[in-house]
Amino acid sequence: SPSTYGHFGGSGTMLWIDPAAEVTCIAVCDREFDEWAVAAWPPFSDRVRAAYSSAGSDSPTRPASPNLG
């Protein structure tokens, strides 16, 4: 939603919070932020939102891990 905010960390971590959808996503890894993260995090975030939406807010599911190479 337009109210989503977050942060990409220099160590490859990512956090976003969507208060309107009541969804939070945190991804932690040990790879320095680079082109791989630019390519990986948006589709990963889309899958998190899709999994949460399809499961409903009472029973969130864990989406499959992206292939980060």
Side-chain angles (χ1 to χ4, degrees), residues 8-35:
F8 286 102
S11 62
T13 59
M14 173 193 66
L15 157 76
W16 56 257
I17 300 166
D18 184 344
E22 298 181 339
V23 179
T24 299
C25 179
I26 302 169
V28 180
C29 68
D30 61 358
R31 292 177 66 184
E32 188 173 326
F33 186 89
D34 201 350
E35 292 300 316

Side-chain angles (χ1 to χ4, degrees), residues 21 23 46-57 59-61:
V23 179
D46 291 344
R47 290 201 306 256
V48 169
R49 285 187 192 98
Y52 184 81
S53 294
S54 66
S57 61
S59 60
T61 61

